[in-house]
Amino acid sequence: MSSQQIQSLLAGPSIDQANSKAAVLLDSKYHTLEDLAQLDGEVAQARSRRDELQATLELSHSNVNALLEETRAAAEEYRLAAQELSLQRHALADELSNLTRNLVSSLSAADAQPTLLEDIETMHRNLKELNHVRSYVQVIEYALRLSAAAVEQISTPPSTITEDSISNYKELYHFAARVSEACSEVEGDGKQSVNLLNFLEKLRDKTWSDIKSTLTTILLSVAEKLKWPMPMTYFSSPQEDRHAFERAFRNLLELQIIGESFTVGAARTEKDGLYPLEALVLPLSMRFKYHFEGTRQTNQLHKPEWYFTHVLNLINDHQNFMETVVQQLISPTKYSSINAWHEFTLLLLPLPSRKLRRTIPSLLSHPSLLAHTIYQALSFDAALTEQGFTISDTSAGLLDDNVWEGVVQIILGKKEWFDAWIEGEKRFAEDQFHDIISASDAWQIADDEDSRESLIGREMQTTNSARRIAALVEQITDRYSPLPDFTQRTRFLLSVQLPILQLYHGRMSSSLDAFETLSSALVRSVPGGLGVSIGTKDHSSVNVDTQALTSGVTGVQRLCKALLSSRYIELSMDTWGEQLFFLELWTEINARPSLRARAQAHPLVPDPSANERDISETTVFDVLTAQYRKLFDRTHDVIVQHVCTEVESSLKAHISAMISNSNPDALRDDIAVSQTLLAPIALLSTHLAYIRSTVPVTSLTSLYRRIATRLSEHIMQRQILYRGNVSLTEAKYIHAECELWVETSNGALAGALGGGRNRVESPWSKLLEAGRLIAAEGDSWKKAVDSTFGTAVSEDDWENHIVSVTGYSELSREEVGRILRRRNQ
């Protein structure tokens, strides 16, 4: 029952509701007045009912009150019980939370305490680790005891070393092997096992090294009595000392033979060799360190030849001792194939090698010192090679078949160092090139005799710059020809040598460009229009007449020097390309794919793929040789153009004067040289005389033929063919002038062509023929006219008639007819 129902039951009766119900009851029972007679009975009955209900109500009130009291008491009990249960629930929750926290691992929170289970597990792990450590320490302790016992065992060696002499070491070796095998079978954390194995291997190797050092000390103590490491007279030493030395030497050899069965030690290094020779090298190494790795004056970076010479002296000083005494001690053993002197030399090589590794980094910023050091290293390697040193009969040769690369490979084999050297050599060569080009006498004709001329097989002059460039290229060849690797040689050729030749070609080519520009028709027509302005310190300028630089003999001199220079370098490259060094290099470039690829990518080297069938017919300089040949031909053309242009320009005044003075009455009967003709005649004579004194005969012949042929054609056209009609007197003047050109040429050449006057006249033959035809008279004139214009005369007869008149038959019949028509007759 709800509280609302209880409250409604406890509430008092409603008067209004009672009245309403009474009215409804009366209305339903009493319909008329007669029915009211029964009202009194009903009233009495109602009062009786009221009394009963009142009594029941009071009883009900008392029961309700009692029930309410009981209910309140029960509710209070329930409330107290519920409160107590709530407290118990919270207590249980707290206890459960505590229990839960106690079960959580300490690893889940930083400030939590470890659980008991975790503590127990930790103690178990620690116990297990301690057991492992105990086993680990026991292994180490046992190995250390074996190591100490092995060294102690050999400290007083017997007369002969056997495996029994190193039984403790043998036990150590096998113990390390057993531990290694056991560790490989155990699963789990392998880090400790690896550390233990590394320790045992290092201990094993150190023990062997200590055994070796003990015997080494014995050998050195005996060798000191023989005055080692000084050069000694072994057989003059006491016999007892010699026997002790030989016994100690053999003991070390026997130890090495035994050690090979144990495969002791790490991979071979450059310091490894025969044990006794390693021992003998030790005092030499200490002396080397004293002199060249300390603060002594002998330790100079710029004097690498000092320590190289020192090592060479050691090798030579002890060569006799190695080849006689030591070789006899080695021959009866397993190492009988080893050459004692070569082995001794091999063990001395780490001395300069170590020095190079330490000094080269500080030399990288000093290209000259780096290059000097490399050159000395190459010289050192060459000296050893000349003495017959090889590693094929040494301990290194027994392990592999590698060829000795030399100590220089320490530098060249490291890309950074080799690149630094190449870059330094390139800068040095370029500086030398610029010094040569910038020298005041660079373009002067060299006066001194050059021994290279006979080598090249020619006699020709050249400029100082060409001769010095050739010498620089040969100097570069000398610097890299000793390099052992063809890849390094190819790199030097492509990076240093060929660019110098290309620079010189570019310099002369640009000079020709400038010459052609300054001597062009525009410059000649506008004098001073393209003058060169040279700045001075006070910011003023001085104008230089460019015409003076290119006109007259000065211009020819410049061109002849370019001609001689290009020809000299071209012939030099032909000679270099046939030398054995460059032939081998070119063969290797064609044979090796890597070098072929590098050559194909370089513009100054012939493409190997294009010459697969004709390798023997090409050289490494073919591309540059072709460029210099083109430059030579171009210079040849410019010289012809320059000489002919100047002579033709000078001849214009004379031709104009002759045309303006064509009055026959003004001409004298005696033939005299016109004053206007003297200038072009003298100019041609000067040019030819200088060319004759400068260029070789072959070039002189070609130049003269082309110059004379062009001038002959020019004069014939201007003076004869396109001049108009001339009189006999004028024709005689023209003929005299034609003969004068030949005489001038003959005098200027002074017999340099050989073959007499005929070789001089040959290029002028057409002009001479035209001059003699137009000046012919009498029977000669009649024969020439009749045979030329006569229709009954055959070509052969015509040629015979012309030859009889002029001595030549170079012109065609039509040209002869045109010339004859120029006469007024």
Side-chain angles (χ1 to χ4, degrees), residues 268 508 677 705 770 816:
R268 176 184 171 84
M508 288 193 293
L677 185 61
R705 283 183 177 276
V816 170

Side-chain angles (χ1 to χ4, degrees), residues 20-32 35:
S20 175
K21 285 183 177 182
V24 171
L25 181 63
L26 291 175
D27 290 336
S28 62
K29 286 186 175 185
Y30 302 104
H31 299 287
T32 62
D35 293 336

Side-chain angles (χ1 to χ4, degrees), residues 434-448:
H434 292 301
D435 290 342
I436 291 172
I437 294 300
S438 303
S440 58
D441 61 343
W443 302 105
Q444 294 180 5
I445 302 298
D447 296 330
D448 55 330

Side-chain angles (χ1 to χ4, degrees), residues 288 293 304 307-308 349-363 373-374 377 407-411 417:
F288 184 89
E293 296 181 5
Y307 57 81
F308 282 124
L349 293 180
L351 303 182
S353 300
R354 182 178 66 239
K355 179 67 175 177
L356 288 175
R357 291 189 182 96
R358 293 180 178 179
T359 57
I360 291 300
S362 60
L363 297 179
T373 303
I374 294 176
V407 296
V408 73
Q409 193 62 26
I410 295 172
I411 307 173
W417 295 355

